[in-house]
């Protein structure tokens, strides 16, 4: 029997955690920070609010959220890779962010009560879960009525020629980067596989609706290589 998606992803992230931030920059041509900044602007997070960052990895988005909510707010970061969380914890301590709690857990079964957070985010993590819809349903469950569920994720560009170049880059060039930069050819071939099989923007928007979210908005970035999806949990 081959490994399950969950086991394989876990193995990948437990082994690449040291190089993960560097590789993210390589994979996104340094654009992932700009995409996140724009998404945060759209979210308009206020001081004193609460947020949960699912599949938080090394906690970059968690930290950005923590800075936005301030000391009076509360941010949780959840990930199933303890090695990734260790790096996130170092970043948290360096910045003295007492409003942040990092927790080891599973995105498929979030360890929180219903209606807890003003925002629930997932950045470049949804493609790695065994069941996309189940995770979106869980995010919808723990966000407060009227709150936002936000996903920033690699997407598949739709512009002809650019699309072909992008797929060539992902299939051929990116695993090579993994070999050169992270000595992790297998792991980075996993990342390109997960990106190629991830639902396109329209399909993901449909999943947001299926998970019980309304007012779904989609914004593509950099010719569609990434996209933001936002949905609101209906108020009672």
């Amino acid at each position: 029997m081959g490994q399950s998606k969950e086991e394989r992803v876990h193995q990948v992230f437990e082994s690449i955690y040291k190089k993960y931030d560097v590789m993210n920059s390589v994979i996104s041509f340094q654009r992932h920070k700009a995409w996140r900044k724009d998404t945060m602007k759209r979210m308009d997070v206020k001081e004193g609010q609460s947020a949960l960052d699912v599949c938080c990895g090394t906690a970059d988005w968690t930290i950005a959220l923590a800075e936005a909510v301030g000391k009076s707010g509360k941010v949780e970061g959840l990930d199933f890779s303890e090695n990734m969380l260790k790096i996130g914890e170092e970043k948290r301590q360096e910045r003295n962010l007492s409003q942040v709690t990092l927790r080891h857990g599973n995105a498929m079964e979030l360890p929180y009560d219903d209606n807890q957070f003003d925002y629930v985010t997932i950045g470049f993590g949804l493609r790695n879960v065994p069941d996309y819809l189940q995770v979106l349903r869980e995010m919808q469950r723990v966000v407060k009525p009227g709150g936002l569920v936000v996903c920033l994720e690699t997407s598949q560009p739709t512009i002809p020629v650019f699309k072909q170049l992008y797929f060539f880059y992902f299939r051929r060039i990116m695993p090579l980067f993994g070999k050169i930069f992270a000595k992790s050819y297998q792991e980075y071939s996993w990342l390109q596989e997960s990106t190629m099989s991830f639902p396109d923007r329209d399909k993901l928007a449909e999943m947001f609706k299926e998970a019980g979210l309304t007012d779904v908005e989609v914004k593509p970035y950099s010719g569609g290589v990434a996209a933001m999806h936002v949905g609101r949990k209906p108020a009672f």
Side-chain angles (χ1 to χ4, degrees), residues 63 66-67 70-72 88-101:
I63 286 164
E67 284 163 354
K71 292 285 181 198
S72 60
E89 185 56 33
E90 282 164 23
K91 292 179 187 175
R92 185 192 76 76
Q93 287 176 10
E94 265 165 37
R95 292 165 179 77
N96 191 26
L97 295 168
S98 56
Q99 68 271 44
V100 171
T101 307

Side-chain angles (χ1 to χ4, degrees), residues 104-123:
H104 184 244
N106 186 351
M108 302 272 287
E109 294 171 50
L110 294 174
Y112 303 102
D113 293 336
D114 299 1
N115 310 322
Q116 288 287 297
F117 301 95
D118 295 304
Y119 298 91
V120 182
T121 60
I122 188 163

Side-chain angles (χ1 to χ4, degrees), residues 213-231:
L213 296 157
T214 59
D215 306 330
V216 178
E217 273 182 53
V218 183
K219 180 174 181 181
Y221 293 113
S222 304
V225 301
M228 169 191 79
H229 286 67
V230 181

Side-chain angles (χ1 to χ4, degrees), residues 63-192:
I63 286 164
L65 288 161
E67 284 163 354
V69 302
K71 292 285 181 198
S72 60
K74 179 181 77 117
V75 177
E76 293 260 341
L78 177 123
D79 202 274
F80 73 160
S81 165
E82 293 190 67
N83 283 338
M84 296 282 244
L85 288 171
K86 270 180 212 150
I87 292 183
E89 185 56 33
E90 282 164 23
K91 292 179 187 175
R92 185 192 76 76
Q93 287 176 10
E94 265 165 37
R95 292 165 179 77
N96 191 26
L97 295 168
S98 56
Q99 68 271 44
V100 171
T101 307
L102 296 179
R103 192 191 283 222
H104 184 244
N106 186 351
M108 302 272 287
E109 294 171 50
L110 294 174
Y112 303 102
D113 293 336
D114 299 1
N115 310 322
Q116 288 287 297
F117 301 95
D118 295 304
Y119 298 91
V120 182
T121 60
I122 188 163
F124 305 105
L126 193 59
R127 63 183 164 191
N128 296 317
V129 303
D131 184 335
Y132 310 129
L133 186 56
Q134 167 66 15
V135 170
L136 290 174
R137 283 193 172 123
E138 276 292 275
M139 290 170 77
Q140 192 269 5
R141 179 180 69 75
V142 302
V143 79
K144 291 176 185 174
L148 295 182
V149 168
V150 187
C151 171
L152 184 56
E153 187 54 271
T154 47
S155 192
Q156 300 182 6
T158 47
I159 303 162
V161 184
F162 178 61
K163 184 178 175 175
Q164 279 75 9
L165 284 170
Y166 175 80
F167 286 151
F168 176 76
Y169 169 73
F170 253 89
R171 285 206 177 97
R172 300 278 177 265
I173 312 293
M174 206 180 92
L176 220 56
F177 275 150
K179 216 171 192 172
I180 297 160
F181 290 101
K183 301 189 176 60
S184 309
Y185 183 82
Q186 291 306 112
E187 284 83 351
Y188 281 92
S189 64
W190 156 258
L191 285 186
Q192 65 91 7

Side-chain angles (χ1 to χ4, degrees), residues 28-45:
S28 71
F29 310 102
Q30 282 289 352
R31 298 300 299 149
H32 66 295
K33 288 174 185 160
W35 300 334
R36 189 173 63 234
K37 206 172 168 183
D38 188 74
T39 299
M40 287 285 286
K41 208 162 81 183
R42 160 72 187 81
M43 288 163 66
D44 192 25
V45 181

